Amino acid sequence: MILKNKNQVNNTQNEEKKEFAIHSRRYLGAKTKLLPLIEDVVNKSIQEWHSFTDLFGGTGVVGNRFNKPGKELIINDLLFSNIHSYHTFFSPEPFDKNKVASILQTFNEADVKEDNYFSINYGDKYFTKENARKVGYVRDKMEELKQTGKVNNREFSILFTSLMYALDKAANTVGHYEAYRKNLDMFNPITLLMPALTENETNQLNKIYQRDANELVREINTDILYIDTPYNSRQYVDSYHLLENLAMWEKPELEGVARKISSEDRQYGKSKYCLKSAPEAFDDLIQHVNAKLIVVSYSNMAEKGDGRSNAKISDHEMISSLEKRGKTISYEQDYKHFTTGLKDIDNYQERLFVCHVGQ
């Protein structure tokens, strides 16, 4: 029997208590630093509200800021991986925290020596071979737990989200999976933690969707509609193809150096807001909104980056669409742009366009 000294015991206990927050993730366009401005603008713009809709949810950090007891949060995204995160943090479904923690501990203690689908495709590329073997093993075990009914839907999503956040800390990338770095220098072990979750009472009225935003907006009624569309031609399903493959876990053949699922299999996640037709799509969206307040995040990227990074909707086009529905005010904040690791953007700003519908 190996005896641990007091410091070792305390360190072990602290490690067991470590949790991750919803914002503890690198993600293109994440609005974590913009949250104080968004909340301040909303509070100034509307006195009472019952429902908040995050139509292009992404990481879910904006929805999380407005997820409050007695309020309805509606959150939507096209990506399967993000939907799991929403079920983790926002679902009203009960879950057994002790059971989930025990499963996570078992996963962390696993010593995997054999190759699997994930390690064959992503090992020594996006992750070390050792980490990739563990990821594939853990994902297979998660699937077994789901298929045998040993975890409910939310418990499964919690396990998946824990794995997804763990990958972010060990990935040989610059924060997305469009490509991996040539030199493998990320050796952090895969460690799955418990998410920091609110009491279930907070989530009782919440609704989670995986729908085309222009279709969904025709069906919902909300007090506040927050819109954060993709800004440029970079499709999120392409940047996060690895997480989508992990989420669906159909183990398809992969393509190219970047080991992507096929272009055909990625069509479900393609956004019209990354195309030249984005202004028309935005106008259609805004004209069918049923809300008291519309809040739109959009950068001043314009022509500041390369061709793929330039904004698809001009300020004139955006304001014109919003002013058809009501009085529109703009706010701005200097921002550190999350690039693909190649260069910084000068004078980059995030703006909020706030439309008071019917005024």
Side-chain angles (χ1 to χ4, degrees):
M1 182 177 181
I2 300 176
L3 298 177
K4 296 181 180 180
N5 62 39
K6 184 176 180 179
N7 289 336
Q8 287 175 316
V9 171
N10 288 339
N11 288 340
T12 300
Q13 291 175 343
N14 289 337
E15 185 68 25
E16 290 174 351
K17 292 179 180 178
K18 284 183 65 176
E19 297 178 334
F20 65 89
I22 192 170
H23 64 262
S24 303
R25 178 186 177 194
R26 297 177 296 172
Y27 196 82
L28 292 167
K31 294 299 181 290
T32 305
K33 294 180 181 178
L34 203 64
L35 289 174
L37 176 62
I38 295 171
E39 187 169 40
D40 183 55
V41 166
V42 167
N43 289 338
K44 289 178 180 178
S45 302
I46 188 169
Q47 291 186 343
E48 295 183 6
W49 60 274
H50 174 71
S51 59
F52 182 96
T53 297
D54 191 351
L55 197 58
F56 299 82
T59 59
V61 295
V62 176
N64 185 65
R65 180 59 68 100
F66 293 90
N67 186 33
K68 303 176 185 297
K71 307 290 187 180
E72 177 188 53
L73 171 65
I74 301 172
I75 189 163
N76 176 66
D77 200 89
L78 291 175
L79 301 190
F80 287 96
S81 50
N82 288 338
I83 294 297
H84 278 302
S85 182
Y86 306 159
H87 281 291
T88 293
F89 289 99
F90 307 132
S91 171
E93 183 177 14
F95 69 98
D96 186 333
K97 185 174 182 178
N98 291 331
K99 177 174 69 174
V100 173
S102 177
I103 294 170
L104 292 176
Q105 181 178 350
T106 300
F107 288 162
N108 285 330
E109 292 173 351
D111 184 15
V112 185
K113 301 297 185 183
E114 296 182 358
D115 277 321
N116 50 54
Y117 171 81
F118 197 88
S119 65
I120 291 169
N121 283 291
Y122 301 119
D124 289 334
K125 297 178 180 71
Y126 291 98
F127 306 93
T128 64
K129 182 66 79 169
E130 292 75 18
N131 276 340
R133 286 174 181 149
K134 188 161 190 174
V135 172
Y137 168 84
V138 165
R139 185 61 184 85
D140 279 336
K141 291 298 181 182
M142 288 182 187
E143 199 66 21
E144 289 179 14
L145 291 170
K146 180 174 70 172
Q147 296 300 330
T148 56
K150 295 180 180 178
V151 293
N152 65 26
N153 290 332
R154 190 178 185 193
E155 289 164 349
F156 176 81
S157 286
I158 293 171
L159 294 173
F160 177 84
T161 303
S162 177
L163 179 61
M164 178 170 65
Y165 275 66
L167 263 61
D168 190 56
K169 303 297 186 292
N172 182 44
T173 69
V174 294
H176 56 80
Y177 298 90
E178 189 74 38
Y180 51 86
R181 295 199 300 265
K182 183 177 180 181
N183 297 319
L184 182 60
D185 58 5
M186 285 293 289
F187 302 103
N188 298 334
I190 294 290
T191 304
L192 286 77
L193 304 177
M194 177 69 72
L197 301 175
T198 59
E199 296 295 327
N200 267 11
E201 287 74 12
T202 303
N203 297 343
Q204 287 305 308
L205 302 177
N206 294 349
K207 296 183 178 68
I208 298 167
Y209 293 98
Q210 188 178 12
R211 296 276 304 279
D212 176 277
N214 286 55
E215 296 176 2
L216 179 60
V217 80
R218 288 165 159 80
E219 302 174 14
I220 60 175
N221 189 328
T222 185
D223 292 326
I224 305 167
L225 181 71
Y226 175 74
I227 299 172
D228 182 24
T229 73
Y231 295 169
N232 52 48
S233 64
R234 299 179 186 277
Q235 294 278 2
Y236 278 77
V237 71
D238 295 339
S239 296
Y240 296 97
H241 63 91
L242 184 148
L243 299 181
E244 289 298 277
N245 191 15
L246 196 67
M248 293 183 285
W249 208 233
E250 296 173 351
K251 301 183 180 179
E253 292 290 329
L254 303 181
E255 299 178 344
V257 175
R259 310 307 295 146
K260 293 184 178 181
I261 53 181
S262 71
S263 178
E264 180 181 352
D265 288 342
R266 297 198 304 274
Q267 287 305 308
Y268 71 90
K270 298 288 186 180
S271 172
K272 64 190 73 175
Y273 292 90
C274 297
L275 307 176
K276 290 182 179 180
S277 58
E280 290 78 15
F282 182 78
D283 188 67
D284 173 77
L285 178 74
I286 296 302
Q287 304 322 312
H288 290 91
V289 166
N290 192 345
K292 298 177 182 177
L293 192 74
I294 304 172
V295 182
V296 183
S297 288
Y298 214 74
S299 78
N300 68 336
M301 196 64 182
E303 303 294 329
K304 293 179 182 294
D306 60 36
R308 291 186 65 196
S309 297
N310 291 336
K312 291 296 182 184
I313 307 174
S314 71
D315 286 4
H316 172 74
E317 291 165 331
M318 179 164 292
I319 294 172
S320 176
S321 292
L322 290 168
E323 286 186 338
K324 293 177 187 177
R325 298 301 311 276
K327 179 181 177 181
T328 300
I329 304 170
S330 64
Y331 303 82
E332 59 188 34
Q333 175 175 302
D334 292 335
Y335 205 72
K336 175 66 174 175
H337 182 240
F338 179 15
T339 71
T340 54
L342 299 178
K343 61 180 178 180
D344 291 329
I345 305 297
D346 294 329
N347 302 317
Y348 182 84
Q349 292 180 326
E350 283 283 354
R351 283 88 51 75
L352 293 180
F353 297 89
V354 180
C355 175
H356 297 260
V357 178
Q359 295 186 16

